[in-house]
Amino acid sequence: NDFNCFPIPSGSKNADYRYKASRTTLNQSIEENENFGYIATNKNCTVDFDHEQYNEILDELAEKYMVFKSAHGGRHLPIINLGTNATKTKLYDYKIRTDKEVIEIQGNEHYCVGAGSTYIEEKEDYFKCGKTFQKGDILYYENIGTDVIFNAHGKDFENFIEYVCNKFKVQGKKKTE
């Protein structure tokens, strides 16, 4: 398998005792009323876009590849067939945000919430991806793309990061002097 799916309590995006990063038990049953998370296995990852700036590009990619719309309006792009293992990597566009990453690559120690899951907003007046959400809002994760997962064709992880940086005009964290 390219990704390991596991159950998350209904209405939540927070994993419970059944999640153990890369040691999460494979093939756990997921009840009809539960959400689920997914973790990339070795040489796979998910690119997590946390700013609306990238939605148009991701919506175009969704015509050919699997792209998930997250509960707050961002996008997740699953990736398979890297040449080397992925690790959590934060990427920045300092013209958009100076305080937080806008793209985060999730390797096999971090999960994303899966399409078809629902989330009940826990914060009041929470602003993300150009929208304000209210406590109690019911939000959805959905696949807005195809069933074809983006294939990195053996590109090593460092070269893949460079590809993402060039395509989306982002960079690693600035070094402080």
Side-chain angles (χ1 to χ4, degrees):
N1 275 342
D2 300 318
F3 297 87
N4 180 12
C5 297
F6 63 94
I8 294 177
S10 179
S12 180
K13 62 180 183 175
N14 298 321
D16 59 17
Y17 65 93
R18 297 171 285 189
Y19 166 72
K20 296 177 180 75
S22 63
R23 296 164 311 285
T24 299
T25 304
L26 294 172
N27 301 318
Q28 294 183 54
S29 62
I30 301 169
E31 300 297 324
E32 184 78 27
N33 65 339
E34 289 183 302
N35 287 341
F36 77 96
Y38 65 97
I39 309 164
T41 56
N42 287 335
K43 298 186 179 180
N44 302 307
C45 68
T46 299
V47 184
D48 182 353
F49 297 84
D50 273 339
H51 196 278
E52 68 273 11
Q53 168 81 19
Y54 309 105
N55 287 357
E56 188 174 318
I57 297 168
L58 272 296
D59 291 350
E60 288 174 15
L61 283 173
E63 294 174 15
K64 292 170 56 175
Y65 301 107
M66 183 179 289
V67 174
F68 300 143
K69 180 179 176 187
S70 67
H72 292 112
R75 304 289 188 266
H76 297 165
L77 179 65
I79 308 292
I80 57 172
N81 294 325
L82 290 164
T84 54
N85 287 334
T87 57
K88 184 177 194 112
T89 304
K90 296 179 179 188
L91 301 172
Y92 300 81
D93 182 335
Y94 291 101
K95 291 179 282 188
I96 294 174
R97 293 190 72 156
T98 57
D99 61 329
K100 192 173 186 316
E101 72 277 356
V102 292
I103 297 174
E104 194 170 47
I105 300 175
Q106 310 291 0
N108 64 4
E109 292 294 328
H110 301 89
Y111 71 94
C112 292
V113 178
S117 295
T118 59
Y119 169 63
I120 300 170
E121 180 57 58
E122 299 169 347
K123 299 175 186 170
E124 199 65 57
D125 294 325
Y126 182 62
F127 184 80
K128 189 166 185 180
C129 289
K131 296 179 185 170
T132 300
F133 301 92
Q134 300 301 320
K135 186 173 185 171
D137 285 352
I138 299 174
L139 309 173
Y140 303 93
Y141 290 81
E142 61 182 309
N143 182 1
I144 60 170
T146 70
D147 290 335
V148 177
I149 299 175
F150 189 100
N151 191 328
H153 298 288
K155 186 177 294 219
D156 74 56
F157 185 59
E158 292 303 317
N159 285 336
F160 180 74
I161 292 171
E162 189 175 318
Y163 165 80
V164 171
C165 286
N166 290 334
K167 180 155 185 76
F168 296 99
K169 312 291 188 256
V170 292
Q171 65 186 48
K173 191 165 184 82
K174 281 186 181 176
K175 308 237 186 297
T176 54
E177 301 185 36

